[in-house]
Amino acid sequence: MRVHVTTLQGDLVEVRVSSEEATTSGEATTTAETTGPNPISPEGKELIWGAGSFLVFLVIMRVFLFPKLKKGMDARYNGIREDFEQADATRLSAKTDVSKYEAALAEVRAEAAGRVDKARQTLDQERSTKIAEANARIASKRSAADAEISAARLAARDQVAAAVATVTSRTTQLAVGKSPDASVVQKAVQEAMQSGARS
Amino acid sequence: MEALTRIAHVSARVAAELTPAELKANSAAQMAGLAYGLAAIGPGIGIGMIFGKAIEAMARQPESAGMVRTTMFLGVAFTEALALIGFVAFILLKFA
Amino acid sequence: MFSTQLAIKASVQVLQKLMPSAEGGRGFSFPPINTILRWKDVTPGINKVVIISILSAVIGTVLFLVASSKDARKAPKGSRNLAEIIVEFIEKNIIMETMGKSGMGWTPFLLTMFIFIYLCNLPGIIPFIQMPATARMGVPAFMALLVWVVFNATGIKHQGLFGYFKNVLFPPGVPKALYVLVTPIELISTLVVRPFSLAVRLFANMLAGHLLLVIFALLTQALIQAETQRFFLIPIGILPFGLLIFLTAFEILVAFLQAYIFTVLTAVYIGGAAHPEH
């Protein structure tokens, strides 16, 4: 901004404020024309050079560089995908192997269990037969012993009866002076013993 | 007293003595500021709404965030164009 | 008479106080916009913007040349990794989201477009270059025109000249009476607004970012070099400098985002022309 003051004739004064830019010496270093066309209108050389460089870039990319890069990328991706598929196949086969092994294992395990069961069954059978045998033996022994006991008891009883009869006939003989009839004594002894046993 | 009236007189002449071109540049500069200020209001509100709605959508459905983001930038681009036309009008008025 | 002279002197002083001059080095003045945007020719016909756009193409070519000459069977790293990341970004995030699987043939076109625009945007924040080639209208205008030609050609190729324009001008599913309204709107929006908005969006974004960086750099300089009695103004220069750093980081995002949006919109336009039912 500049302020011009000029005195005209008399007391008529003219003061003008103009906005002419002074040629600034300090700032015009790398700049071109300070005045020029509209800042928005495209400049011919910039448009042409920009267009040319872009089109050349586009052609180079479209024809040479991008297909090459893309081919490499696709090859690697396909390689990776193949690797993945391979890994999947390997995993699948491993899985079938594992299931096969597991089936075999289950079979073996079932067989073993069966055998164990069978062995247990035979053992149980053997044991029960042996127990039964032992029981039978014990029973027979017990019955034999019982028979012996009862025989011994009968024998003892007969002895007692005989002894009692002898004693009775003797006492009767002493008391009466004549030996009693044996059958009468016996009958009396038996009655006494039975009543003794009852009482 | 006379001096004061003369100063007032001189100041009035300072205002009056601008050449028509200067006057035009003056009013163009004022209008340029006004033009850009007015042009920025609508797009400002619009871009705010676009981003707000996009954030809402992304928060509701994070799995569709990529699609929402692309569409959001498209909407921002279209809305922003209005403000930028205002900016171009500013440049044209101020400097052309 | 003397009082008049005094009054003039006083008012001139007041005016000079009110309007600090640009030439004294005091105060802050924004340089004319062509000083910021137009560059002197290095050699006839070639200026900075031209060099940047050529370099973008060269850097892109070199990147893919190096990348594609590496062994493809190994795990990618370095330049090949970078190139493959960009290719997959284009394929997954741009083509698959907008065109679907049938658009895979457009990968090299969109890839080249993305890389070229991104590399043209990026010098806006690289120190000592600091000029996005897309902040001049040349590159965006050409790209938008190219996209316009490409998507119209795709539409005509896939649907025939008549079918394409029938689909564009008389979109199916609209009541017949509305065609009076819809047809002119569609005509303008498809054939005029699309390339215009594509070019203007890219250009204006980069220009606005560039101007912001310039403004805050100049503010920082003006505050730090201020010849002022109020010395506390000098450390205040750290504030615009901080914002300058922040805006530079923001411009990296903008450079990427604008390349992405340009490419996505191209993909949408081409996809829409190839398969109008979407």
Side-chain angles (χ1 to χ4, degrees), chain C residues 46-276:
Chain C
I46 292 184
N47 63 9
K48 190 168 172 180
V49 175
V50 171
I51 292 174
I52 290 170
S53 52
I54 293 172
L55 269 183
S56 304
V58 170
I59 290 171
T61 312
V62 167
L63 170 69
F64 273 75
L65 196 66
V66 173
S68 65
S69 64
K70 280 194 183 169
D71 183 13
R73 304 290 306 181
K74 281 184 194 154
K77 57 182 182 184
S79 63
R80 181 160 188 116
N81 198 12
L82 182 63
E84 290 195 2
I85 286 172
I86 301 171
V87 170
E88 290 200 336
F89 171 72
I90 300 287
E91 284 185 346
K92 282 210 184 95
N93 289 10
I94 293 180
I95 293 180
M96 285 308 286
E97 301 275 348
T98 55
M99 289 200 269
K101 206 143 186 65
S102 62
M104 280 302 178
W106 288 102
T107 311
F109 178 66
L110 296 176
L111 176 71
T112 314
M113 177 172 269
F114 177 79
I115 293 173
F116 186 71
I117 294 176
Y118 184 57
L119 289 178
C120 279
N121 288 348
L122 210 53
I125 48 106
I126 295 174
F128 307 112
I129 303 175
Q130 282 181 326
M131 175 71 206
T134 39
R136 302 288 295 149
M137 199 53 172
V139 173
F142 167 71
M143 302 298 277
L145 271 180
L146 184 68
V147 169
W148 186 81
V149 170
V150 164
F151 83 76
N152 280 323
T154 312
I156 291 169
K157 189 184 151 203
H158 277 255
Q159 308 170 38
L161 186 67
F162 184 72
Y164 175 62
F165 280 103
K166 187 174 158 289
N167 259 325
V168 167
L169 297 182
F170 304 98
V174 177
K176 287 238 170 353
L178 278 182
Y179 279 141
V180 185
L181 206 63
V182 168
T183 303
I185 291 175
E186 284 293 318
L187 178 73
I188 292 173
S189 86
T190 308
L191 298 182
V192 180
V193 172
R194 273 186 185 185
F196 176 74
S197 71
L198 263 185
V200 165
R201 180 177 301 114
L202 179 57
F203 159 74
N205 259 302
M206 298 322 292
L207 175 61
H210 184 60
L211 286 184
L212 276 177
L213 292 187
V214 169
I215 286 170
F216 283 101
L218 286 177
L219 258 177
T220 310
Q221 190 202 18
L223 276 174
I224 285 176
Q225 295 182 345
E227 298 164 13
T228 172
Q229 299 283 313
R230 283 167 281 182
F231 53 87
F232 62 85
L233 279 177
I234 290 165
I236 281 179
I238 200 74
L239 295 179
F241 185 71
L243 203 56
L244 179 67
I245 300 292
F246 169 75
L247 282 173
T248 304
F250 183 66
E251 281 303 302
I252 300 174
L253 175 72
V254 168
F256 172 78
L257 209 60
Q258 287 312 313
Y260 171 70
I261 282 174
F262 198 99
T263 319
V264 166
L265 285 174
T266 307
V268 167
Y269 293 159
I270 293 174
H275 304 286

Side-chain angles (χ1 to χ4, degrees), chain A residues 31 43 45 70 76-77, chain C residues 35 41 84 88 91 136:
Chain A
T31 55
E43 213 170 329
K45 56 182 178 236
K70 190 69 188 162
R76 201 178 64 245
Y77 284 179
Chain C
T35 317
D41 283 3
E84 290 195 2
E88 290 200 336
E91 284 185 346
R136 302 288 295 149

Side-chain angles (χ1 to χ4, degrees), chain B residues 39-92:
Chain B
I41 295 174
I45 296 170
I47 290 174
M49 284 174 82
I50 290 170
F51 269 97
K53 293 285 176 189
I55 290 167
E56 217 169 83
M58 283 193 245
R60 273 176 205 268
Q61 279 184 304
E63 66 272 9
S64 68
M67 194 265 286
V68 170
R69 197 174 297 119
T70 308
T71 319
M72 176 186 82
F73 278 125
L74 279 181
V76 169
F78 286 127
T79 315
E80 191 194 37
L82 298 172
L84 292 172
I85 289 167
F87 176 72
V88 169
F90 164 78
I91 296 280
L92 283 174

Side-chain angles (χ1 to χ4, degrees), chain A residues 60-61 63-70, chain C residues 60-61 64-65 68:
Chain A
I60 294 174
M61 288 286 283
V63 177
F64 304 110
L65 298 179
F66 183 73
K68 203 177 165 195
L69 186 86
K70 190 69 188 162
Chain C
T61 312
F64 273 75
L65 196 66
S68 65

Side-chain angles (χ1 to χ4, degrees), chain B residues 27-41:
Chain B
S27 65
Q30 290 170 13
M31 282 301 130
L34 197 64
Y36 182 63
L38 286 175
I41 295 174

